[in-house]
Amino acid sequence: MSLSPRRWSPIHGDPYRPVPHRPSRIAPEESLARAAELRARMDERRTVRQFAADPVPLQVVKDAIACAATAPSGAHQQPWTFVLVHDAGIRQQIRKAAEEEEQISYDGRLGDEWLAALRPLGTDKVKPHLTDAPALIVVFQQRYWLGEDGAKHKHYYVDESVGIAVGMLLTALHLSGLAALVHTPSPMRFLSEVLNRPANEKAFAVIPVGYPAPDCEVPDLVRKSLDQVMVEI
């Protein structure tokens, strides 16, 4: 079912009144322990392309989406829609359309430099993860909303806001024991058509979710060290 973009108020009353869920302060020792545990657990995260067909608890996935929806966003407009797809027939439609686009991309649309960058990862036009994984989360950006008079009003910092939300989604899925992959076929207009999304939404990513296959293999990647990615002044 397609939904019409509509306006709603992102804040109740005075935005700066005290609220029950304002940030709490914890002891430094507890903060250090939590940070160390989180860093260790996230260091285990890997992108998975081979999924088991075993079903996953959908509530776990829904809770991860709810975590993603707590992400900060420009003017607190929350310009995202997460479409959870577990219907096998729709997942097959998405895979078929994605592989048709990937065929064109790998035949030259990506360009030699991008294809060379992908080659060490062993990716190609065939995307079995789109049907092997028991669930897909298709993330859409809401580019604008409609006022009561039908006029279009833009959202702000949409790319940044949705990108942060997807990062939080991947973190929540990993910490919940599920594997995921960020798939970004280009162009992605077919996702709006298959999923019957409204005109104000633009596909951002397809994220297969599930358990790794028993014979799953991942590239032996080397992450940059903290010294390589952080500057301390």
Side-chain angles (χ1 to χ4, degrees):
M1 178 179 179
S2 179
L3 301 177
S4 297
R6 57 183 180 178
R7 178 57 172 162
W8 62 282
S9 176
I11 297 176
H12 297 290
D14 181 357
Y16 293 105
R17 66 183 175 85
V19 295
H21 302 295
R22 60 183 177 272
S24 59
R25 181 169 177 170
I26 61 176
E29 297 79 7
E30 177 66 16
S31 183
L32 286 167
R34 290 187 189 184
E37 180 185 7
L38 179 60
R39 179 176 179 176
R41 292 190 65 185
M42 290 306 298
D43 192 51
E44 298 172 348
R45 191 203 63 78
R46 294 292 186 277
T47 291
V48 167
R49 297 182 184 278
Q50 298 162 300
F51 290 88
D54 303 337
V56 299
L58 287 180
Q59 189 58 49
V60 174
V61 182
K62 292 177 182 179
D63 285 344
I65 293 173
C67 289
T70 70
S73 59
H76 192 51
Q77 292 183 332
Q78 304 160 73
W80 45 63
T81 301
F82 302 90
V83 180
L84 175 56
V85 183
H86 41 80
D87 181 275
I90 297 178
R91 287 188 284 120
Q92 182 61 52
Q93 290 181 53
I94 291 174
R95 177 178 174 179
K96 181 177 183 297
E99 289 183 337
E100 289 174 355
E101 293 293 349
E102 295 289 80
Q103 173 76 62
I104 299 171
S105 294
Y106 278 88
D107 282 348
R109 182 167 59 189
L110 291 178
D112 293 340
E113 186 174 357
W114 183 222
L115 287 173
L118 290 173
R119 197 165 294 119
L121 300 178
T123 61
D124 57 27
K125 63 189 178 186
V126 182
K127 306 299 178 184
H129 45 265
L130 295 175
T131 48
D132 289 349
L136 302 177
I137 302 172
V138 185
V139 185
F140 287 87
Q141 302 173 318
Q142 298 173 8
R143 306 305 301 183
Y144 61 87
W145 55 272
L146 294 180
E148 294 182 0
D149 59 354
K152 293 182 180 180
H153 302 274
K154 67 180 293 185
H155 283 304
Y156 296 92
Y157 299 104
V158 175
D159 293 341
E160 296 86 346
S161 301
V162 177
I164 293 169
V166 168
M168 292 178 63
L169 174 62
L170 297 175
T171 299
L173 291 168
H174 173 67
L175 295 179
S176 299
L178 299 179
L181 163 72
V182 178
H183 178 56
T184 54
S186 180
M188 292 193 279
R189 287 187 295 272
F190 68 89
L191 289 166
S192 295
E193 298 169 1
V194 171
L195 298 174
N196 196 26
R197 301 310 304 157
N200 71 316
E201 293 186 357
K202 177 183 178 182
F204 184 83
V206 184
I207 303 176
V209 177
Y211 298 115
D215 58 349
C216 176
E217 296 180 349
V218 297
D220 188 12
L221 301 176
V222 178
R223 290 192 171 108
K224 293 181 179 180
S225 68
L226 185 59
D227 290 341
Q228 290 175 300
V229 301
M230 183 186 77
V231 177
E232 188 171 4
I233 300 175

